[in-house]
Amino acid sequence: MLPKIRPGDLCVFEVYGGSGNAGSRNGQIVLARQSRRDDDYGCQYTIKEYHSVKDPHTGHNDRVELRPLNEAYPLIEIDEDDEAVDVIATLKCVLS
């Protein structure tokens, strides 16, 4: 997550849906759990920037994009019915 999070930084997350942080996550940095292990990077958790793509007719989320800040990592697209990725927390602060 360079440039926001650097190696050795400590990150403080708040469980999503907890006290005071329910609602839109659009534009926030989130911690997400993938139900399947990523073969390229060998991990099950990822930190990405959350962006929802809304249906222009209904206003509901058509899909969600989890975007890396570092272009070396892949974008993750989640359809509304996709249960393979679960956003579990939002970033509150980074301690360098």
Side-chain angles (χ1 to χ4, degrees), residues 24-90:
S24 177
R25 296 166 283 191
N26 208 32
Q28 293 185 27
I29 303 296
V30 298
L31 174 65
R33 179 178 46 230
Q34 302 175 74
S35 63
R36 59 189 177 275
R37 189 168 293 279
D38 183 320
D39 292 334
D40 292 334
Y41 300 101
C43 64
Q44 193 170 354
Y45 292 88
T46 188
I47 299 171
K48 301 270 192 282
E49 190 173 60
Y50 182 100
H51 288 275
S52 61
V53 179
K54 301 214 181 274
D55 180 306
H57 303 291
T58 65
H60 293 99
N61 284 348
D62 220 8
R63 72 180 187 282
V64 170
E65 297 177 347
L66 299 179
R67 299 176 183 169
L69 296 183
N70 183 330
E71 293 180 10
Y73 294 93
L75 169 82
I76 298 173
E77 292 185 80
I78 307 168
D79 291 328
E80 189 65 21
D81 299 329
D82 191 354
E83 296 179 8
V85 180
D86 183 32
V87 174
I88 57 175
T90 54

Side-chain angles (χ1 to χ4, degrees), residues 4-37:
K4 183 156 186 83
I5 302 170
R6 300 183 186 297
D9 285 351
L10 297 176
C11 298
V12 177
F13 288 91
E14 181 177 20
V15 174
Y16 181 73
S19 174
N21 78 339
S24 177
R25 296 166 283 191
N26 208 32
Q28 293 185 27
I29 303 296
V30 298
L31 174 65
R33 179 178 46 230
Q34 302 175 74
S35 63
R36 59 189 177 275
R37 189 168 293 279

